[in-house]
Amino acid sequence: MAPAATGAPAALAAPPPNPAPPEMTVTTPDSSPTATTECDFYASKPNHSGSRMTGTGGIKTCSGGPVACTSEADLEFCNDFSDLWMTAGTSRQTKCAPPLRSSTAASTCENRPGDPNVAWRTTTVGTLVSSGGSHGSGTVHSPVLYVPCA
């Protein structure tokens, strides 16, 4: 007789680790060989309130006089079935810092008692263009927030 499995559910796998810190400096050459243009991009840990999730990211500072900047904040959750990050909300902005330039992506979720925790994070994709025409970009991931809201 074969042993029977008991009714304890298997633990869900942890989401993939964040591949980058929550801030990143992107540097590009400027019009002269010794000058550079740089911007610091960031992604904040998501916030949860009731049935609303938000994630904020953007450009913290810039130096060297970039002529164009963009940043996109994506609110993402980890799909337990595929183990991939899926985008739940997106927001964009197109101004250079200073001052701080940010955008907030939002989504609604259903929070039912007994639901398993879902992993949420903010991802910021930023791009800058220097006065010399060079460009640079980077992607930043926030720390993960675990909440029973899907």
Side-chain angles (χ1 to χ4, degrees), residues 52-120:
R52 186 164 169 80
M53 293 291 300
T54 58
T56 301
I59 306 170
K60 201 173 207 177
T61 62
C62 288
S63 63
V67 294
C69 300
T70 62
S71 66
E72 174 180 306
D74 295 329
L75 178 63
E76 301 175 329
F77 67 94
C78 186
N79 181 320
D80 286 332
F81 299 105
S82 66
D83 210 27
L84 297 173
W85 290 100
M86 312 293 280
T87 302
T90 298
S91 181
R92 296 176 184 88
Q93 71 84 36
T94 58
K95 294 182 179 176
C96 298
L100 174 83
R101 300 293 183 178
S102 66
S103 58
T104 299
S107 180
T108 57
C109 58
E110 201 169 315
N111 190 351
R112 291 175 284 194
D115 279 354
N117 281 341
V118 175
W120 292 83

Side-chain angles (χ1 to χ4, degrees), residues 3-78:
T6 59
L12 296 175
N18 288 346
E23 290 188 19
M24 169 188 277
T25 300
V26 175
T27 304
T28 63
D30 209 334
S31 53
S32 75
T34 58
T36 60
T37 300
E38 66 182 37
C39 289
D40 294 329
F41 297 98
Y42 75 97
S44 296
K45 188 173 186 175
N47 289 313
H48 171 247
S49 178
S51 63
R52 186 164 169 80
M53 293 291 300
T54 58
T56 301
I59 306 170
K60 201 173 207 177
T61 62
C62 288
S63 63
V67 294
C69 300
T70 62
S71 66
E72 174 180 306
D74 295 329
L75 178 63
E76 301 175 329
F77 67 94
C78 186

Side-chain angles (χ1 to χ4, degrees), residues 112-139:
R112 291 175 284 194
D115 279 354
N117 281 341
V118 175
W120 292 83
R121 75 178 183 188
T122 305
T123 297
T124 298
V125 179
T127 304
L128 66 98
V129 178
S130 72
S131 61
S134 297
H135 65 278
S137 63
T139 302

